[in-house]
Amino acid sequence: MKLDATDLRYITSDEFRVLTAVGFLTWRQVQSGELTTIFPQVEMGSKNHEVVPTILVAQISGLRNGGVNKNLGSLAKRNLVARVQNSKYDGYRLTYGGYDYLAMRALSKRDSMFSVGNQIGVGKESDIYIVADAEGHEMVLKLHRLGRISFRAIKEKRDYMGKRKSASWMYMSRLAAEKEWAFMKVLHEHGFPVPRPVDHARHTILMEFIDAYPLRQVADIPSPGKLYSDLMDLIVRFARAGLIHGDFNEFNILIRRESGEPVVIDFPQMVSTSHMNAEMYFNRDVQCIRKFFRKRFRYESRIYPRFSSTRSSSQGEDGEDFRLDVVVMASGFKQRDQQVLEEYMNAVQNESSEDDDDEEEEEEEEEGEEEGEEGEEEEGEEEEADEAHEEADEEEKGGDAPEAGE
Ligand code: ADP
Ligand code: MG
């Protein structure tokens, strides 16, 4: 999807008011299920929670009806909204472009960003752009795109959302961004090697640009053993702080161009070590690295961390402050939102794993292989865990990201 920076400057103030009204109404609607609860006088002609009636847009934007129609028309021409019309109903829905626009406008109003450059990534569930502030300092803008590829999964699982929420792309994308923001902030403040979070609006996150390659692109390294143990230490360090990355793979580990040091990105799927399936997630992260090192670098180590050893000595010792899972929950990202997002992600994952049976077979093979090894490595692994633990006790770094909000 193309983002046009000039758009940020050349939208009229009336258009902006109308677009903001559409955004507000859509958000209220996907959040609470129905607009009728806040606007009981309006007959909602559509079951689609993403469509808002023109008449409400007029009410909210405070413009005359004719003005609203004209502005909605010009916004539709620029694909910021789309008209939805049938015999009973006349309304508009916000497009991804419109949502992007509102988010970027908020970021630029706060002087967090000024211009948009090239797209550097198209993830499964995000678009990544290089952007810059007024002084030309480069940053990364991540726009979450949940729901783009997975409407089939969502429709089937809709009941988990309950009556009040619709699994709209807008809602899920925003939750993912809020979660990622909350985690990135806390991790950065506690000295974990993650990009510095800069700002956050709606479904987007602005962060430090890391001059690096994804590990995926690294063909050869001088000492794979060093990187391997650094990455395992990092997994342990996360766990000692109460967290599991949950998608710790070669795409989400960046290797700094200059120093070769790893930086971890992509946090919407992080879970607490208190999660019911924590051990499974932990092992999956560990196995992901083992498998990659074996395939890519022909490097295999008998030493790898166990979930149990990250638990035993750490709990209680470090004080409450060190349970980052607790810190994140206290920061405002709610347990309920966490659950909604998690169920969505599980639904998506189940769907995509149906498509690649080959990979699954391979993983099953590996798991069998590992069980045989278990028990022998306990000692080495404990040592490794303790090293990582010390590191994690380092002085906390103060965060300098501005507060979120719109
Ligand atoms: P997704 O959730 O879609 O996987 P990621 O956050 O993993 O999104 O980002 C996708 C890609 O974009 C990464 O693999 C990386 O190449 C690039 N990228 C993301 N964040 C940064 C950053 N802060 N600095 C440099 N490159 C980044
Ligand atoms: Mg990723």
Side-chain angles (χ1 to χ4, degrees), residues 180-224:
E180 180 150 46
W181 172 256
F183 277 87
M184 204 187 286
K185 259 187 86 128
V186 166
L187 289 170
H188 185 261
E189 280 164 12
H190 287 79
F192 280 80
V194 302
R196 182 175 63 85
V198 177
D199 201 354
H200 150 64
R202 296 176 192 253
H203 62 315
T204 69
I205 288 180
L206 194 59
M207 65 181 118
E208 173 193 5
F209 169 71
I210 307 289
D211 188 17
Y213 308 98
L215 178 57
R216 167 85 184 167
Q217 282 173 24
V218 177
D220 210 0
I221 42 172
S223 56

mmCIF file of all heavy atoms in Angstrom, residues 180-224:
data_model
loop_
_atom_site.group_PDB
_atom_site.id
_atom_site.type_symbol
_atom_site.label_atom_id
_atom_site.label_comp_id
_atom_site.label_asym_id
_atom_site.label_seq_id
_atom_site.Cartn_x
_atom_site.Cartn_y
_atom_site.Cartn_z
ATOM 1 N N GLU A 180 2.362 -4.143 21.353
ATOM 2 C CA GLU A 180 3.760 -4.037 20.951
ATOM 3 C C GLU A 180 4.414 -2.808 21.590
ATOM 4 O O GLU A 180 5.550 -2.865 22.055
ATOM 5 C CB GLU A 180 3.873 -3.977 19.420
ATOM 6 C CG GLU A 180 5.314 -3.859 18.962
ATOM 7 C CD GLU A 180 5.564 -4.484 17.612
ATOM 8 O OE1 GLU A 180 4.766 -4.241 16.699
ATOM 9 O OE2 GLU A 180 6.574 -5.201 17.474
ATOM 10 N N TRP A 181 3.675 -1.740 21.610
ATOM 11 C CA TRP A 181 4.181 -0.505 22.214
ATOM 12 C C TRP A 181 4.480 -0.711 23.701
ATOM 13 O O TRP A 181 5.554 -0.350 24.194
ATOM 14 C CB TRP A 181 3.160 0.611 22.010
ATOM 15 C CG TRP A 181 3.475 1.875 22.732
ATOM 16 C CD1 TRP A 181 2.900 2.337 23.866
ATOM 17 C CD2 TRP A 181 4.465 2.853 22.365
ATOM 18 N NE1 TRP A 181 3.449 3.545 24.237
ATOM 19 C CE2 TRP A 181 4.412 3.881 23.329
ATOM 20 C CE3 TRP A 181 5.389 2.959 21.318
ATOM 21 C CZ2 TRP A 181 5.248 5.001 23.284
ATOM 22 C CZ3 TRP A 181 6.215 4.081 21.276
ATOM 23 C CH2 TRP A 181 6.143 5.085 22.240
ATOM 24 N N ALA A 182 3.525 -1.299 24.409
ATOM 25 C CA ALA A 182 3.692 -1.516 25.849
ATOM 26 C C ALA A 182 4.932 -2.372 26.128
ATOM 27 O O ALA A 182 5.741 -2.058 27.007
ATOM 28 C CB ALA A 182 2.442 -2.186 26.427
ATOM 29 N N PHE A 183 5.110 -3.416 25.344
ATOM 30 C CA PHE A 183 6.248 -4.310 25.573
ATOM 31 C C PHE A 183 7.565 -3.663 25.168
ATOM 32 O O PHE A 183 8.573 -3.781 25.859
ATOM 33 C CB PHE A 183 6.051 -5.635 24.836
ATOM 34 C CG PHE A 183 5.202 -6.605 25.603
ATOM 35 C CD1 PHE A 183 3.826 -6.596 25.491
ATOM 36 C CD2 PHE A 183 5.777 -7.524 26.475
ATOM 37 C CE1 PHE A 183 3.029 -7.473 26.222
ATOM 38 C CE2 PHE A 183 4.997 -8.411 27.211
ATOM 39 C CZ PHE A 183 3.619 -8.382 27.075
ATOM 40 N N MET A 184 7.553 -2.976 24.042
ATOM 41 C CA MET A 184 8.795 -2.381 23.569
ATOM 42 C C MET A 184 9.301 -1.342 24.565
ATOM 43 O O MET A 184 10.496 -1.251 24.841
ATOM 44 C CB MET A 184 8.589 -1.744 22.187
ATOM 45 C CG MET A 184 9.867 -1.626 21.381
ATOM 46 S SD MET A 184 9.665 -0.696 19.864
ATOM 47 C CE MET A 184 8.782 -1.849 18.857
ATOM 48 N N LYS A 185 8.375 -0.581 25.089
ATOM 49 C CA LYS A 185 8.742 0.440 26.073
ATOM 50 C C LYS A 185 9.386 -0.175 27.305
ATOM 51 O O LYS A 185 10.461 0.232 27.739
ATOM 52 C CB LYS A 185 7.482 1.209 26.503
ATOM 53 C CG LYS A 185 7.343 2.548 25.815
ATOM 54 C CD LYS A 185 6.194 3.322 26.396
ATOM 55 C CE LYS A 185 6.666 4.094 27.604
ATOM 56 N NZ LYS A 185 6.334 5.503 27.586
ATOM 57 N N VAL A 186 8.706 -1.154 27.861
ATOM 58 C CA VAL A 186 9.198 -1.778 29.085
ATOM 59 C C VAL A 186 10.535 -2.489 28.842
ATOM 60 O O VAL A 186 11.464 -2.378 29.639
ATOM 61 C CB VAL A 186 8.127 -2.738 29.655
ATOM 62 C CG1 VAL A 186 8.723 -3.647 30.697
ATOM 63 C CG2 VAL A 186 6.968 -1.938 30.229
ATOM 64 N N LEU A 187 10.634 -3.184 27.728
ATOM 65 C CA LEU A 187 11.886 -3.889 27.423
ATOM 66 C C LEU A 187 13.031 -2.902 27.240
ATOM 67 O O LEU A 187 14.138 -3.106 27.731
ATOM 68 C CB LEU A 187 11.722 -4.757 26.164
ATOM 69 C CG LEU A 187 10.838 -5.994 26.330
ATOM 70 C CD1 LEU A 187 10.541 -6.634 24.980
ATOM 71 C CD2 LEU A 187 11.509 -7.013 27.263
ATOM 72 N N HIS A 188 12.755 -1.835 26.519
ATOM 73 C CA HIS A 188 13.793 -0.836 26.286
ATOM 74 C C HIS A 188 14.218 -0.175 27.595
ATOM 75 O O HIS A 188 15.413 0.002 27.858
ATOM 76 C CB HIS A 188 13.311 0.208 25.281
ATOM 77 C CG HIS A 188 14.358 1.194 24.909
ATOM 78 N ND1 HIS A 188 14.427 2.453 25.471
ATOM 79 C CD2 HIS A 188 15.413 1.106 24.070
ATOM 80 C CE1 HIS A 188 15.470 3.093 24.979
ATOM 81 N NE2 HIS A 188 16.092 2.311 24.126
ATOM 82 N N GLU A 189 13.251 0.149 28.419
ATOM 83 C CA GLU A 189 13.564 0.767 29.706
ATOM 84 C C GLU A 189 14.408 -0.138 30.599
ATOM 85 O O GLU A 189 15.144 0.337 31.458
ATOM 86 C CB GLU A 189 12.275 1.139 30.456
ATOM 87 C CG GLU A 189 11.671 2.438 29.955
ATOM 88 C CD GLU A 189 10.212 2.621 30.388
ATOM 89 O OE1 GLU A 189 9.747 1.854 31.252
ATOM 90 O OE2 GLU A 189 9.563 3.524 29.827
ATOM 91 N N HIS A 190 14.289 -1.442 30.386
ATOM 92 C CA HIS A 190 15.049 -2.381 31.218
ATOM 93 C C HIS A 190 16.292 -2.910 30.513
ATOM 94 O O HIS A 190 16.822 -3.952 30.882
ATOM 95 C CB HIS A 190 14.148 -3.508 31.699
ATOM 96 C CG HIS A 190 13.189 -3.047 32.758
ATOM 97 N ND1 HIS A 190 12.044 -2.352 32.459
ATOM 98 C CD2 HIS A 190 13.236 -3.134 34.110
ATOM 99 C CE1 HIS A 190 11.413 -2.050 33.581
ATOM 100 N NE2 HIS A 190 12.115 -2.513 34.598
ATOM 101 N N GLY A 191 16.712 -2.196 29.493
ATOM 102 C CA GLY A 191 17.999 -2.495 28.887
ATOM 103 C C GLY A 191 18.042 -3.700 27.973
ATOM 104 O O GLY A 191 19.126 -4.208 27.669
ATOM 105 N N PHE A 192 16.900 -4.173 27.522
ATOM 106 C CA PHE A 192 16.921 -5.277 26.552
ATOM 107 C C PHE A 192 17.277 -4.727 25.166
ATOM 108 O O PHE A 192 16.968 -3.571 24.855
ATOM 109 C CB PHE A 192 15.547 -5.966 26.498
ATOM 110 C CG PHE A 192 15.325 -6.933 27.624
ATOM 111 C CD1 PHE A 192 14.944 -6.476 28.881
ATOM 112 C CD2 PHE A 192 15.531 -8.291 27.432
ATOM 113 C CE1 PHE A 192 14.752 -7.368 29.938
ATOM 114 C CE2 PHE A 192 15.343 -9.187 28.471
ATOM 115 C CZ PHE A 192 14.947 -8.728 29.726
ATOM 116 N N PRO A 193 17.941 -5.536 24.337
ATOM 117 C CA PRO A 193 18.333 -5.047 23.007
ATOM 118 C C PRO A 193 17.142 -5.039 22.050
ATOM 119 O O PRO A 193 16.937 -5.963 21.267
ATOM 120 C CB PRO A 193 19.405 -6.059 22.564
ATOM 121 C CG PRO A 193 19.068 -7.319 23.290
ATOM 122 C CD PRO A 193 18.406 -6.918 24.581
ATOM 123 N N VAL A 194 16.353 -3.983 22.146
ATOM 124 C CA VAL A 194 15.194 -3.789 21.262
ATOM 125 C C VAL A 194 15.262 -2.365 20.721
ATOM 126 O O VAL A 194 15.952 -1.528 21.300
ATOM 127 C CB VAL A 194 13.864 -3.990 22.041
ATOM 128 C CG1 VAL A 194 13.802 -5.377 22.667
ATOM 129 C CG2 VAL A 194 13.674 -2.917 23.117
ATOM 130 N N PRO A 195 14.565 -2.068 19.627
ATOM 131 C CA PRO A 195 14.593 -0.689 19.124
ATOM 132 C C PRO A 195 13.992 0.273 20.152
ATOM 133 O O PRO A 195 13.088 -0.102 20.900
ATOM 134 C CB PRO A 195 13.702 -0.741 17.870
ATOM 135 C CG PRO A 195 13.624 -2.181 17.491
ATOM 136 C CD PRO A 195 13.748 -2.952 18.767
ATOM 137 N N ARG A 196 14.495 1.493 20.165
ATOM 138 C CA ARG A 196 13.939 2.496 21.071
ATOM 139 C C ARG A 196 12.561 2.924 20.572
ATOM 140 O O ARG A 196 12.412 3.337 19.418
ATOM 141 C CB ARG A 196 14.854 3.727 21.111
ATOM 142 C CG ARG A 196 14.389 4.818 22.065
ATOM 143 C CD ARG A 196 15.416 5.945 22.145
ATOM 144 N NE ARG A 196 15.606 6.613 20.857
ATOM 145 C CZ ARG A 196 14.839 7.614 20.414
ATOM 146 N NH1 ARG A 196 13.840 8.075 21.137
ATOM 147 N NH2 ARG A 196 15.078 8.172 19.249
ATOM 148 N N PRO A 197 11.523 2.776 21.394
ATOM 149 C CA PRO A 197 10.195 3.195 20.948
ATOM 150 C C PRO A 197 10.108 4.718 20.946
ATOM 151 O O PRO A 197 10.563 5.358 21.897
ATOM 152 C CB PRO A 197 9.260 2.603 21.998
ATOM 153 C CG PRO A 197 10.103 2.349 23.193
ATOM 154 C CD PRO A 197 11.527 2.212 22.756
ATOM 155 N N VAL A 198 9.553 5.296 19.894
ATOM 156 C CA VAL A 198 9.502 6.758 19.788
ATOM 157 C C VAL A 198 8.094 7.292 20.051
ATOM 158 O O VAL A 198 7.898 8.189 20.860
ATOM 159 C CB VAL A 198 10.000 7.229 18.403
ATOM 160 C CG1 VAL A 198 9.873 8.749 18.260
ATOM 161 C CG2 VAL A 198 11.446 6.793 18.179
ATOM 162 N N ASP A 199 7.111 6.727 19.378
ATOM 163 C CA ASP A 199 5.730 7.203 19.560
ATOM 164 C C ASP A 199 4.779 6.124 19.055
ATOM 165 O O ASP A 199 5.193 5.172 18.379
ATOM 166 C CB ASP A 199 5.523 8.521 18.789
ATOM 167 C CG ASP A 199 4.342 9.331 19.330
ATOM 168 O OD1 ASP A 199 3.616 8.840 20.212
ATOM 169 O OD2 ASP A 199 4.156 10.476 18.856
ATOM 170 N N HIS A 200 3.507 6.315 19.357
ATOM 171 C CA HIS A 200 2.516 5.311 18.991
ATOM 172 C C HIS A 200 1.187 6.005 18.748
ATOM 173 O O HIS A 200 0.800 6.878 19.522
ATOM 174 C CB HIS A 200 2.423 4.293 20.133
ATOM 175 C CG HIS A 200 1.092 3.649 20.291
ATOM 176 N ND1 HIS A 200 0.538 2.847 19.326
ATOM 177 C CD2 HIS A 200 0.211 3.666 21.317
ATOM 178 C CE1 HIS A 200 -0.639 2.412 19.759
ATOM 179 N NE2 HIS A 200 -0.855 2.896 20.961
ATOM 180 N N ALA A 201 0.511 5.668 17.679
ATOM 181 C CA ALA A 201 -0.832 6.199 17.436
ATOM 182 C C ALA A 201 -1.666 5.134 16.733
ATOM 183 O O ALA A 201 -1.205 4.506 15.781
ATOM 184 C CB ALA A 201 -0.780 7.458 16.558
ATOM 185 N N ARG A 202 -2.853 4.923 17.251
ATOM 186 C CA ARG A 202 -3.786 3.947 16.659
ATOM 187 C C ARG A 202 -3.109 2.605 16.381
ATOM 188 O O ARG A 202 -2.627 1.970 17.303
ATOM 189 C CB ARG A 202 -4.429 4.528 15.398
ATOM 190 C CG ARG A 202 -5.288 5.751 15.744
ATOM 191 C CD ARG A 202 -5.878 6.421 14.533
ATOM 192 N NE ARG A 202 -6.433 7.723 14.881
ATOM 193 C CZ ARG A 202 -7.727 7.989 14.953
ATOM 194 N NH1 ARG A 202 -8.624 7.062 14.694
ATOM 195 N NH2 ARG A 202 -8.146 9.198 15.273
ATOM 196 N N HIS A 203 -3.002 2.194 15.107
ATOM 197 C CA HIS A 203 -2.444 0.870 14.790
ATOM 198 C C HIS A 203 -0.975 0.949 14.387
ATOM 199 O O HIS A 203 -0.449 0.042 13.756
ATOM 200 C CB HIS A 203 -3.253 0.232 13.659
ATOM 201 C CG HIS A 203 -3.193 1.037 12.385
ATOM 202 N ND1 HIS A 203 -3.333 2.398 12.362
ATOM 203 C CD2 HIS A 203 -2.978 0.671 11.098
ATOM 204 C CE1 HIS A 203 -3.235 2.834 11.114
ATOM 205 N NE2 HIS A 203 -3.004 1.797 10.335
ATOM 206 N N THR A 204 -0.319 2.061 14.736
ATOM 207 C CA THR A 204 1.067 2.241 14.282
ATOM 208 C C THR A 204 2.031 2.445 15.453
ATOM 209 O O THR A 204 1.630 2.895 16.512
ATOM 210 C CB THR A 204 1.199 3.477 13.365
ATOM 211 O OG1 THR A 204 0.990 4.655 14.155
ATOM 212 C CG2 THR A 204 0.194 3.433 12.239
ATOM 213 N N ILE A 205 3.288 2.134 15.162
ATOM 214 C CA ILE A 205 4.356 2.363 16.127
ATOM 215 C C ILE A 205 5.535 3.000 15.420
ATOM 216 O O ILE A 205 5.934 2.564 14.335
ATOM 217 C CB ILE A 205 4.822 1.037 16.745
ATOM 218 C CG1 ILE A 205 3.752 0.530 17.687
ATOM 219 C CG2 ILE A 205 6.125 1.207 17.500
ATOM 220 C CD1 ILE A 205 4.122 -0.745 18.319
ATOM 221 N N LEU A 206 6.066 4.015 16.038
ATOM 222 C CA LEU A 206 7.239 4.675 15.506
ATOM 223 C C LEU A 206 8.412 4.280 16.400
ATOM 224 O O LEU A 206 8.309 4.355 17.622
ATOM 225 C CB LEU A 206 7.001 6.182 15.570
ATOM 226 C CG LEU A 206 7.910 7.117 14.810
ATOM 227 C CD1 LEU A 206 7.895 6.805 13.318
ATOM 228 C CD2 LEU A 206 7.453 8.562 15.036
ATOM 229 N N MET A 207 9.491 3.834 15.768
ATOM 230 C CA MET A 207 10.631 3.366 16.579
ATOM 231 C C MET A 207 11.963 3.684 15.904
ATOM 232 O O MET A 207 11.996 4.087 14.741
ATOM 233 C CB MET A 207 10.512 1.854 16.804
ATOM 234 C CG MET A 207 10.623 1.049 15.527
ATOM 235 S SD MET A 207 10.445 -0.726 15.795
ATOM 236 C CE MET A 207 8.981 -1.077 14.814
ATOM 237 N N GLU A 208 12.990 3.501 16.660
ATOM 238 C CA GLU A 208 14.346 3.686 16.173
ATOM 239 C C GLU A 208 14.604 2.778 14.961
ATOM 240 O O GLU A 208 14.177 1.626 14.935
ATOM 241 C CB GLU A 208 15.292 3.305 17.320
ATOM 242 C CG GLU A 208 16.749 3.274 16.975
ATOM 243 C CD GLU A 208 17.580 2.579 18.075
ATOM 244 O OE1 GLU A 208 16.987 2.048 19.032
ATOM 245 O OE2 GLU A 208 18.801 2.594 17.959
ATOM 246 N N PHE A 209 15.306 3.308 13.978
ATOM 247 C CA PHE A 209 15.744 2.487 12.847
ATOM 248 C C PHE A 209 17.028 1.768 13.252
ATOM 249 O O PHE A 209 17.977 2.388 13.717
ATOM 250 C CB PHE A 209 15.989 3.365 11.620
ATOM 251 C CG PHE A 209 16.695 2.645 10.499
ATOM 252 C CD1 PHE A 209 16.037 1.670 9.753
ATOM 253 C CD2 PHE A 209 18.028 2.931 10.191
ATOM 254 C CE1 PHE A 209 16.683 0.995 8.724
ATOM 255 C CE2 PHE A 209 18.682 2.258 9.165
ATOM 256 C CZ PHE A 209 18.008 1.291 8.427
ATOM 257 N N ILE A 210 17.040 0.462 13.076
ATOM 258 C CA ILE A 210 18.241 -0.314 13.399
ATOM 259 C C ILE A 210 18.979 -0.629 12.095
ATOM 260 O O ILE A 210 18.397 -1.232 11.183
ATOM 261 C CB ILE A 210 17.872 -1.648 14.096
ATOM 262 C CG1 ILE A 210 16.965 -1.418 15.314
ATOM 263 C CG2 ILE A 210 19.133 -2.420 14.492
ATOM 264 C CD1 ILE A 210 17.633 -0.783 16.501
ATOM 265 N N ASP A 211 20.222 -0.223 12.025
ATOM 266 C CA ASP A 211 21.006 -0.485 10.831
ATOM 267 C C ASP A 211 21.518 -1.925 10.919
ATOM 268 O O ASP A 211 22.534 -2.196 11.560
ATOM 269 C CB ASP A 211 22.174 0.505 10.753
ATOM 270 C CG ASP A 211 22.902 0.397 9.426
ATOM 271 O OD1 ASP A 211 22.332 -0.184 8.479
ATOM 272 O OD2 ASP A 211 24.046 0.886 9.343
ATOM 273 N N ALA A 212 20.755 -2.810 10.320
ATOM 274 C CA ALA A 212 21.008 -4.234 10.556
ATOM 275 C C ALA A 212 20.420 -5.094 9.433
ATOM 276 O O ALA A 212 19.653 -4.615 8.613
ATOM 277 C CB ALA A 212 20.355 -4.629 11.874
ATOM 278 N N TYR A 213 20.829 -6.365 9.427
ATOM 279 C CA TYR A 213 20.189 -7.356 8.555
ATOM 280 C C TYR A 213 19.363 -8.293 9.422
ATOM 281 O O TYR A 213 19.817 -8.642 10.517
ATOM 282 C CB TYR A 213 21.222 -8.271 7.887
ATOM 283 C CG TYR A 213 22.338 -7.612 7.163
ATOM 284 C CD1 TYR A 213 23.581 -7.449 7.767
ATOM 285 C CD2 TYR A 213 22.162 -7.215 5.842
ATOM 286 C CE1 TYR A 213 24.636 -6.868 7.082
ATOM 287 C CE2 TYR A 213 23.223 -6.639 5.148
ATOM 288 C CZ TYR A 213 24.445 -6.467 5.778
ATOM 289 O OH TYR A 213 25.474 -5.895 5.095
ATOM 290 N N PRO A 214 18.241 -8.738 8.893
ATOM 291 C CA PRO A 214 17.588 -9.830 9.625
ATOM 292 C C PRO A 214 18.513 -11.050 9.616
ATOM 293 O O PRO A 214 19.212 -11.288 8.620
ATOM 294 C CB PRO A 214 16.333 -10.122 8.812
ATOM 295 C CG PRO A 214 16.148 -8.947 7.912
ATOM 296 C CD PRO A 214 17.494 -8.322 7.701
ATOM 297 N N LEU A 215 18.541 -11.795 10.693
ATOM 298 C CA LEU A 215 19.388 -12.983 10.770
ATOM 299 C C LEU A 215 19.142 -13.894 9.567
ATOM 300 O O LEU A 215 20.055 -14.568 9.074
ATOM 301 C CB LEU A 215 19.091 -13.722 12.084
ATOM 302 C CG LEU A 215 19.839 -15.024 12.348
ATOM 303 C CD1 LEU A 215 21.347 -14.829 12.320
ATOM 304 C CD2 LEU A 215 19.424 -15.622 13.696
ATOM 305 N N ARG A 216 17.946 -13.901 9.107
ATOM 306 C CA ARG A 216 17.550 -14.673 7.934
ATOM 307 C C ARG A 216 18.483 -14.461 6.733
ATOM 308 O O ARG A 216 18.726 -15.363 5.952
ATOM 309 C CB ARG A 216 16.119 -14.244 7.573
ATOM 310 C CG ARG A 216 15.619 -14.662 6.246
ATOM 311 C CD ARG A 216 15.068 -16.037 6.326
ATOM 312 N NE ARG A 216 14.638 -16.534 5.028
ATOM 313 C CZ ARG A 216 14.344 -17.797 4.801
ATOM 314 N NH1 ARG A 216 14.426 -18.672 5.765
ATOM 315 N NH2 ARG A 216 13.964 -18.174 3.601
ATOM 316 N N GLN A 217 18.979 -13.207 6.617
ATOM 317 C CA GLN A 217 19.824 -12.884 5.458
ATOM 318 C C GLN A 217 21.302 -13.149 5.693
ATOM 319 O O GLN A 217 22.120 -12.917 4.805
ATOM 320 C CB GLN A 217 19.664 -11.401 5.103
ATOM 321 C CG GLN A 217 18.389 -11.094 4.347
ATOM 322 C CD GLN A 217 18.204 -9.597 4.168
ATOM 323 O OE1 GLN A 217 19.154 -8.825 4.195
ATOM 324 N NE2 GLN A 217 16.957 -9.190 3.986
ATOM 325 N N VAL A 218 21.651 -13.566 6.866
ATOM 326 C CA VAL A 218 23.061 -13.783 7.175
ATOM 327 C C VAL A 218 23.466 -15.180 6.714
ATOM 328 O O VAL A 218 22.943 -16.174 7.211
ATOM 329 C CB VAL A 218 23.325 -13.614 8.693
ATOM 330 C CG1 VAL A 218 24.773 -13.915 9.027
ATOM 331 C CG2 VAL A 218 22.948 -12.212 9.131
ATOM 332 N N ALA A 219 24.382 -15.221 5.743
ATOM 333 C CA ALA A 219 24.741 -16.519 5.162
ATOM 334 C C ALA A 219 25.815 -17.216 5.986
ATOM 335 O O ALA A 219 25.839 -18.436 6.096
ATOM 336 C CB ALA A 219 25.218 -16.321 3.733
ATOM 337 N N ASP A 220 26.677 -16.403 6.558
ATOM 338 C CA ASP A 220 27.838 -16.985 7.232
ATOM 339 C C ASP A 220 28.290 -16.034 8.343
ATOM 340 O O ASP A 220 28.230 -14.819 8.176
ATOM 341 C CB ASP A 220 28.975 -17.120 6.205
ATOM 342 C CG ASP A 220 29.858 -18.299 6.564
ATOM 343 O OD1 ASP A 220 29.563 -18.960 7.582
ATOM 344 O OD2 ASP A 220 30.846 -18.530 5.845
ATOM 345 N N ILE A 221 28.725 -16.579 9.447
ATOM 346 C CA ILE A 221 29.299 -15.722 10.487
ATOM 347 C C ILE A 221 30.559 -16.388 11.028
ATOM 348 O O ILE A 221 30.671 -17.611 11.019
ATOM 349 C CB ILE A 221 28.329 -15.432 11.659
ATOM 350 C CG1 ILE A 221 27.560 -16.694 12.062
ATOM 351 C CG2 ILE A 221 27.383 -14.312 11.332
ATOM 352 C CD1 ILE A 221 26.743 -16.519 13.319
ATOM 353 N N PRO A 222 31.506 -15.551 11.508
ATOM 354 C CA PRO A 222 32.782 -16.097 11.973
ATOM 355 C C PRO A 222 32.603 -17.078 13.137
ATOM 356 O O PRO A 222 33.205 -18.147 13.128
ATOM 357 C CB PRO A 222 33.577 -14.866 12.419
ATOM 358 C CG PRO A 222 32.752 -13.667 12.156
ATOM 359 C CD PRO A 222 31.452 -14.084 11.572
ATOM 360 N N SER A 223 31.785 -16.710 14.129
ATOM 361 C CA SER A 223 31.626 -17.652 15.241
ATOM 362 C C SER A 223 30.156 -17.846 15.597
ATOM 363 O O SER A 223 29.617 -17.123 16.427
ATOM 364 C CB SER A 223 32.400 -17.175 16.465
ATOM 365 O OG SER A 223 32.000 -15.878 16.826
ATOM 366 N N PRO A 224 29.530 -18.796 14.948
ATOM 367 C CA PRO A 224 28.115 -19.038 15.224
ATOM 368 C C PRO A 224 27.855 -19.389 16.693
ATOM 369 O O PRO A 224 26.805 -19.064 17.232
ATOM 370 C CB PRO A 224 27.739 -20.213 14.304
ATOM 371 C CG PRO A 224 29.018 -20.753 13.760
ATOM 372 C CD PRO A 224 30.056 -19.703 13.910
#
